[in-house]
Amino acid sequence: MQYKKITIRLTPYDETASQILMAQMGDLGFDSFEETPDGFIGYAQIANYVEGSLASLQTLVEGVSFSFDEDVVEDEDWNKEWEENYFKPIVIDGRCRIRSPFQEADSSMQYEIVIDPKMSFGTGYHETTTMMLQYLMEKDFIGKRILDMGCGTGILGIMARLRLSGEVDCVDIDEWCYRNTTDNVALNGVNGINIILGGADVLPQQPLYDVVIANINRNILVNDMHFYARCLKSGGQMFLSGFYTADAEIVVREAQRFGLSLVERKEINDWNGLMLVKA
């Protein structure tokens, strides 16, 4: 599989501008990002990339400009060195440690998740993944049937099982994410996780889940909200992230159309995480 690689350079570097551009590129089909000292690198499957679409990008930050280079890479090439040499363990709230297979275990942690990220989103570095993991550690999921929509590396589904949830369905439309989740589930030795390749169209048409988790960009969340709400039981919880504070109200309004109410909200560096409950 080939990927479009876009290297963005900001002048001067500005974190807010960088996050804005990442969000815009997420809407253009880019699903993986790697930060650099002066910007970031974005990756999109060739099949999802529209030539000329980058012309629509804008920083919306006064005094900051950007330039970019384009390249095409094979899926196994771009992050091998990063996986082995630059991925550092992450500790969240002093309870959960995320590490690669190349790093030693830490028995002092309450939870430890091994992630071989490859091309998939979800290592814990991003604020949205952190907030979702925080929710998973804070709430009671014992015995609950869970949908992890847009599972990426499978990190959230794995954490749910470590928190003694019932069965978890990890769903992703990207074949690489499907394979990566399969590998990571095996690395962590967890069972009870069903890995499904597909989009929202593969979701059940009846209430099946006690909990729906979706860490995806705003446009997809809004577009597919009715699918998520349809398969969530009455009284079930929905945890959403993948969008900025400015977009949170748009997501909440769409959720309310399908009987969901906002219960709790998190924010880290202008990224938002929401907890909602279905009536």
Side-chain angles (χ1 to χ4, degrees):
M1 184 186 301
Q2 290 186 318
Y3 277 71
K4 194 74 172 183
K5 173 184 177 182
I6 303 297
T7 302
I8 299 281
R9 290 179 297 277
L10 294 161
T11 308
Y13 176 77
D14 182 274
E15 183 177 2
T16 299
S18 181
Q19 291 177 347
I20 289 171
L21 287 170
M22 284 188 201
Q24 292 175 2
M25 287 174 66
D27 294 339
L28 298 177
F30 288 80
D31 53 19
S32 300
F33 298 96
E34 175 185 354
E35 293 185 332
T36 63
D38 59 354
F40 62 90
I41 301 171
Y43 299 89
Q45 291 184 36
I46 289 293
N48 297 336
Y49 177 72
V50 178
E51 290 293 340
S53 60
L54 294 177
S56 65
L57 296 180
Q58 49 184 322
T59 66
L60 305 181
V61 174
E62 186 176 355
V64 178
S65 61
F66 70 93
S67 60
F68 62 85
D69 294 326
E70 302 183 45
D71 199 2
V72 175
V73 295
E74 300 295 332
D75 59 10
E76 72 272 14
D77 291 340
W78 68 267
N79 68 342
K80 180 172 174 49
E81 182 180 359
W82 178 78
E83 289 175 18
E84 296 182 356
N85 300 313
Y86 297 104
F87 179 76
K88 305 300 182 187
I90 307 152
V91 176
I92 295 176
D93 293 350
R95 300 174 63 193
C96 175
R97 181 174 182 260
I98 303 157
R99 65 175 177 89
S100 79
F102 311 102
Q103 293 149 350
E104 294 293 327
D106 183 349
S107 59
S108 69
M109 286 288 118
Q110 183 177 4
Y111 304 104
E112 188 163 65
I113 302 176
V114 182
I115 293 294
D116 189 1
K118 301 190 188 296
M119 296 292 290
S120 306
F121 178 84
T123 60
Y125 273 109
H126 200 275
E127 291 89 341
T128 59
T129 311
T130 294
M131 287 185 285
M132 297 297 263
L133 288 168
Q134 288 175 332
Y135 275 132
L136 285 167
M137 288 191 288
E138 293 166 0
K139 310 303 179 183
D140 178 12
F141 295 96
I142 296 176
K144 294 181 179 180
R145 181 75 183 269
I146 295 179
L147 167 66
D148 178 9
M149 191 67 201
C151 59
T153 62
I155 188 172
L156 300 181
I158 292 168
M159 173 56 86
R161 290 295 290 147
L162 294 178
R163 293 283 291 159
L164 304 180
S165 74
E167 285 194 16
V168 177
D169 289 344
C170 287
V171 180
D172 206 294
I173 200 168
D174 188 329
E175 183 178 354
W176 188 268
C177 293
Y178 171 86
R179 287 186 279 151
N180 191 204
T181 295
T182 301
D183 292 343
N184 288 327
V185 167
L187 277 173
N188 288 273
V190 293
N191 55 21
I193 294 182
N194 309 303
I195 306 160
I196 302 166
L197 179 62
D201 56 307
V202 306
L203 298 180
Q205 298 187 24
Q206 68 280 351
L208 178 65
Y209 300 107
D210 301 294
V211 178
V212 171
I213 300 168
N215 184 14
I216 315 176
N217 72 60
R218 183 203 72 181
N219 288 351
I220 294 177
L221 289 175
V222 170
N223 185 68
D224 292 345
M225 188 69 69
H226 62 292
F227 291 110
Y228 308 155
R230 184 176 65 187
C231 64
L232 180 64
K233 295 177 182 178
S234 179
Q237 301 167 323
M238 185 178 293
F239 297 89
L240 305 175
S241 195
F243 45 87
Y244 289 104
T245 301
D247 294 323
E249 192 57 39
I250 297 171
V251 176
V252 171
R253 283 201 303 268
E254 187 64 17
Q256 289 171 338
R257 290 183 59 222
F258 300 100
L260 289 139
S261 300
L262 180 63
V263 173
E264 189 174 328
R265 180 168 171 173
K266 292 181 181 290
E267 180 177 343
I268 302 178
N269 295 331
D270 205 33
W271 291 95
N272 266 221
L274 306 176
M275 175 185 174
L276 305 104
V277 173
K278 185 177 177 180

